[in-house]
Amino acid sequence: MTLHEHTVQVTDRFVYVAADDVLAEPLLRELEQEYDARYGEFFGEKASAEIRRYPVEAFSAEQGGAFVLLLRGGVPIAGGAYKRFDDRTAELKRIWTSSAHRRQGLARRVVRELEDEAVRRGYTRAYLTTGPRQPEAKHLYFQTGYTPLFDTTLDPEEVIVHGFAKSLDDEPLDVAGITTAHDESLAVRSLSRSNRSLSPSKGDDRSLSLSKGDKPFDNLREWRSDEPFDKLRERAVKVVPTRHWWRWVLSALVAFVVLQFVWSLFTNQQYEWNVFAEYFFSQSVLNSLGVTLGLTVVSVIGGFILGAVLANFRLSKSPLLSGAAYAYIWFFRSVPLLVQILVWYNLGYLYPTLGLGTPFTTDFWLVEFSTTTLITAFAAATIGLTLHQAAYFAEIIRGGILSVDQGQLEASAALGLPRRVRFFRIILPQAARAILPNFFNEVIGLVKGTSVVFVVALPELFYTVQVIYNRNQRVIPLLLVAVVWYAIITTVLSIIQFYVERHYARGAHRELPPTPIQRATAWVKQQWARLGDDTTGDPLAAEKNRRHDTILGSGS
């Protein structure tokens, strides 16, 4: 007997139903539960109230809306809707995928179907909003070509209402226009029922000024209107840009001082830029730069390792280890770095010879060295810098470890993880977020702090330029050589710090801060999208253009 297996092909299909159709109930119920779990009463009420905010008729074809379900075998697995925002714009709402059918690209299919239906109904652009705790929704809209109407560099919960828009025809998206409409819609929603009767009538020139610190959506929960946005806007207060007079005055003063200083750089002959150029890449300066970098690297590595040991000693339950670490940190933070280097350089005055032999005697029968031969100028500088930095690194590391929630340690211990695994895989990665900023600050300070080793005649950068200007009397140009090289090193370290901190921020932020390249790319894309936008006679659109330029760093 031969058995034949028959495979039934289950097809997906879109169906348009009423918003209160029984087929939609399971999806909407799951959506309400998800909203409440993520937001609680973040908006001043249960987040699921958003589902009931609009009447069923708002999503009907008669009022310019639509409600679609994606069925698989007759069972709804995803859905979404849109309502009329204005004559040109459909506002997408309630896009949701059943929890049993995630990661199949269903939400993307729903968005595409809603966009196609909106085009069939005569709309030319789509608009939607989402909340700060739905990173997967924002990712979906970015991937499907939507333009953000908010500053992507801000924390999501600072933005709160995240607006997106997309052109549905061949015309470029009017970013300024839709962003203004988005901001005005938030202002409209902030009007409570009790205040609607106070809205200015036609011809009234009263206006509401919204400053940067204002939150026009604080009363979002009080808006219950089912009217299209463009009808509501007719009754809303007029929004005008806030004038920041003091900011403008101070900005003008700062700009004047900066320009005056730059002008003096080019016109003051005493800077002697020709002398600066002559010595900037001279062999003696480059050799001294290598000494400075060598001192920094050795001192950072040695200081960090010793500091990590001291930090663990400070956290130890042993009174002896904890006390010894505390005494070390107290002593080396109390004694000036310059004094420490001089003591190490002159250690031969106290101990002419060093070696190994019988304890508590000077019988060095194993090995013996002359102190002045063993501790050179470079060795004295390295020892002094390393021991000095170790005291500061110890406190930085200890503070980072203590910043990790105690529950993390308790949970990892409860899982039976070995102590070593707990520290290196659980505690240390989280502590790194608190350690790194202070660590890099210390490294940058140490680069400049190496200049104190001139007291032992070690030819590092600052000592070398001193020798040169004492010989030729060109003090300012030679000091500028040192300043510029220190600035270059600090700049490189600051860039490294940004990317390292960004890497360790992955577990603490829903969205990583954009890199300078990403910010530049976003600015180019936005300017390209705004080409052809006409803001003549529309001061609000012009103001939005200025604000977007400011956000992306191209404006003042």
Side-chain angles (χ1 to χ4, degrees):
M1 178 183 294
T2 302
L3 297 177
H4 299 278
E5 291 187 358
H6 298 279
T7 301
V8 178
Q9 184 69 32
V10 180
T11 58
D12 297 347
R13 63 189 180 95
F14 285 105
V15 296
Y16 286 86
V17 299
D20 58 352
D21 192 286
V22 66
L23 276 175
E25 287 184 5
L27 286 179
L28 294 178
R29 182 166 56 250
E30 192 176 81
L31 178 58
E32 289 187 16
Q33 294 170 352
E34 183 74 13
Y35 272 15
D36 287 339
R38 293 198 187 197
Y39 293 100
E41 296 191 1
F42 178 79
F43 295 104
E45 60 180 350
K46 281 192 173 183
S48 58
E50 171 67 18
I51 306 300
R52 300 181 297 275
R53 191 176 306 284
Y54 308 96
V56 173
E57 294 76 16
F59 302 100
S60 65
E62 291 77 12
Q63 294 193 16
F67 196 102
V68 68
L69 296 175
L70 178 59
L71 303 184
R72 178 174 294 172
V75 178
I77 59 175
Y82 70 74
K83 59 185 286 291
R84 182 177 180 272
F85 186 71
D86 58 33
D87 290 337
R88 297 175 51 202
T89 312
E91 181 178 2
L92 275 56
K93 309 288 291 185
R94 303 182 184 178
I95 298 170
W96 188 250
T97 300
S98 169
S99 59
H101 298 84
R102 303 278 171 82
R103 301 186 180 277
Q104 299 178 25
L106 301 181
R108 186 189 298 265
R109 293 173 59 187
V110 170
V111 170
R112 188 182 305 116
E113 174 65 24
L114 289 171
E115 291 173 353
D116 293 342
E117 179 65 16
V119 171
R120 290 191 288 268
R121 297 285 186 87
Y123 291 110
T124 60
R125 64 186 180 186
Y127 160 76
L128 56 90
T129 59
T130 188
R133 299 178 182 177
Q134 295 168 263
E136 74 288 348
K138 287 190 289 183
H139 178 74
L140 168 66
Y141 303 138
F142 279 121
Q143 292 296 312
T144 51
Y146 280 78
T147 299
L149 308 179
F150 55 92
D151 182 0
T152 57
T153 66
L154 296 177
D155 184 87
E157 296 202 2
E158 184 178 349
V159 178
I160 301 183
V161 179
H162 297 70
F164 290 86
K166 179 182 180 180
S167 175
L168 300 180
D169 56 15
D170 296 332
E171 296 296 323
L173 178 66
D174 177 10
V175 177
I178 190 62
T179 306
T180 298
H182 166 68
D183 287 353
E184 289 179 349
S185 72
L186 298 183
V188 169
R189 296 180 185 188
S190 70
L191 297 176
S192 65
R193 288 180 172 179
S194 60
N195 289 335
R196 286 180 186 170
S197 60
L198 299 178
S199 298
S201 59
K202 187 174 182 180
D204 193 345
D205 60 356
R206 289 176 295 172
S207 63
L208 171 66
S209 177
L210 297 178
S211 65
K212 181 177 180 181
D214 293 335
K215 294 184 178 180
F217 32 80
D218 283 345
N219 296 322
L220 186 62
R221 61 184 181 276
E222 300 177 357
W223 183 58
R224 295 290 188 276
S225 177
D226 58 342
E227 296 180 70
F229 168 69
D230 54 346
K231 299 298 182 183
L232 282 170
R233 183 165 54 187
E234 294 176 0
R235 301 193 288 106
V237 293
K238 177 184 177 183
V239 180
V240 297
T242 303
R243 271 71 174 177
H244 301 283
W245 301 109
W246 281 110
R247 184 188 304 173
W248 296 343
V249 171
L250 292 176
S251 298
L253 289 174
V254 170
F256 171 77
V257 172
V258 171
L259 291 174
Q260 181 70 34
F261 176 69
V262 172
W263 175 82
S264 71
L265 291 178
F266 287 96
T267 59
N268 191 337
Q269 299 300 319
Q270 299 304 316
Y271 280 108
E272 298 184 278
W273 293 110
N274 58 325
V275 178
F276 170 87
E278 177 185 351
Y279 286 99
F280 189 71
F281 289 109
S282 66
Q283 192 59 47
S284 59
V285 169
L286 294 179
N287 290 340
S288 66
L289 181 64
V291 174
T292 295
L293 293 176
L295 280 172
T296 302
V297 171
V298 173
S299 301
V300 167
I301 295 175
F304 189 81
I305 294 174
L306 181 57
V309 174
L310 291 169
N312 281 279
F313 281 6
R314 284 277 282 124
L315 296 171
S316 173
K317 295 181 179 179
S318 167
L320 179 61
L321 294 179
S322 179
Y326 178 84
Y328 176 97
I329 294 169
W330 167 80
F331 178 79
F332 280 95
R333 291 201 301 181
S334 300
V335 180
L337 176 59
L338 190 65
V339 174
Q340 294 180 41
I341 294 174
L342 287 173
V343 168
W344 285 108
Y345 188 63
N346 294 281
L347 190 63
Y349 178 80
L350 295 174
Y351 306 99
T353 58
L354 297 173
L356 297 174
T358 306
F360 307 111
T361 69
T362 57
D363 182 15
F364 302 131
W365 54 273
L366 281 177
V367 64
E368 184 175 5
F369 300 98
S370 169
T371 303
T372 56
T373 303
L374 182 65
I375 302 182
T376 63
F378 186 86
T382 302
I383 294 172
L385 291 170
T386 299
L387 297 181
H388 178 78
Q389 285 302 130
Y392 290 91
F393 281 144
E395 289 300 276
I396 290 172
I397 296 171
R398 184 178 70 91
I401 294 173
L402 293 176
S403 70
V404 179
D405 188 84
Q406 185 66 21
Q408 297 287 312
L409 186 60
E410 295 172 354
S412 58
L415 292 174
L417 297 176
R419 187 181 297 274
R420 177 178 56 83
V421 174
R422 274 183 262 161
F423 180 78
F424 286 103
R425 300 297 299 273
I426 305 296
I427 303 302
L428 195 57
Q430 298 182 68
R433 290 197 297 269
I435 292 172
L436 285 171
N438 294 319
F439 169 79
F440 274 98
N441 286 337
E442 285 295 320
V443 173
I444 290 171
L446 181 59
V447 171
K448 301 186 292 291
T450 56
S451 61
V452 302
V453 304
F454 78 93
V455 297
V456 293
L458 189 64
E460 50 76 45
L461 182 59
F462 183 64
Y463 178 82
T464 300
V465 298
Q466 278 185 308
V467 171
I468 297 173
Y469 74 61
N470 284 330
R471 185 173 64 243
N472 62 16
Q473 301 304 308
R474 297 292 191 269
V475 178
I476 295 300
L478 269 300
L479 287 177
L480 284 174
V481 169
V483 167
V484 173
W485 274 119
Y486 283 131
I488 291 173
I489 298 171
T490 301
T491 302
V492 172
L493 288 173
S494 298
I495 294 173
I496 296 173
Q497 176 182 3
F498 172 82
Y499 283 98
V500 173
E501 289 183 9
R502 187 174 185 271
H503 172 78
Y504 280 98
R506 291 180 300 175
H509 299 278
R510 292 185 177 91
E511 293 183 359
L512 294 178
T515 65
I517 295 177
Q518 290 172 337
R519 288 175 66 90
T521 303
W523 181 85
V524 171
K525 287 182 178 179
Q526 186 172 36
Q527 301 308 312
W528 182 262
R530 284 167 47 184
L531 286 177
D533 291 352
D534 184 11
T535 59
T536 304
D538 189 352
L540 285 176
E543 172 65 12
K544 283 311 296 178
N545 286 349
R546 186 195 65 75
R547 286 173 53 196
H548 275 275
D549 287 342
T550 302
I551 289 170
L552 293 172
S554 63
S556 59

